[in-house]
Amino acid sequence: FPGIPGIVVIDKVVELAGKSVNAAEQMKKSNQIPADQRKATAVQLVKDYLTVANVEITPDIEKIIDGAVEAAVFVLPKTVVAA
């Protein structure tokens, strides 16, 4: 599938989602954003990266971004919070 432009965009969205989730998590840890803003921040970072690369953010791309961010969050290492 490497020659299919849509697949290339999806692969890049998945890659950027992972990086954006890690960035948002670090921003939360350094008190730059509140915990409840992590997903919105990660989604916006992906959109910003794609916009800079001249990729049109269509409703379908937004769905892929949302799913990719959710998947990236799911694979984050789980942390134990002491009560």
Side-chain angles (χ1 to χ4, degrees):
F1 298 121
I4 302 172
I7 298 297
V8 172
V9 171
I10 292 168
D11 285 346
K12 187 53 74 174
V13 167
V14 170
E15 176 187 335
L16 292 171
K19 291 178 180 183
S20 296
V21 164
N22 287 331
E25 188 64 21
Q26 183 58 40
M27 291 170 77
K28 193 269 301 175
K29 288 178 181 175
S30 63
N31 296 316
Q32 295 179 54
I33 61 170
D36 64 352
Q37 289 297 308
R38 288 178 290 184
K39 181 179 179 185
T41 298
V43 166
Q44 190 57 54
L45 284 169
V46 175
K47 289 181 180 181
D48 292 347
Y49 293 139
L50 294 175
T51 299
V52 168
N54 293 318
V55 175
E56 181 183 357
I57 309 297
T58 65
D60 287 337
I61 295 292
E62 286 185 346
K63 288 179 197 173
I64 293 166
I65 292 169
D66 190 66
V69 166
E70 285 291 336
V73 168
F74 182 75
V75 298
L76 279 177
K78 305 302 179 235
T79 57
V80 177
V81 179

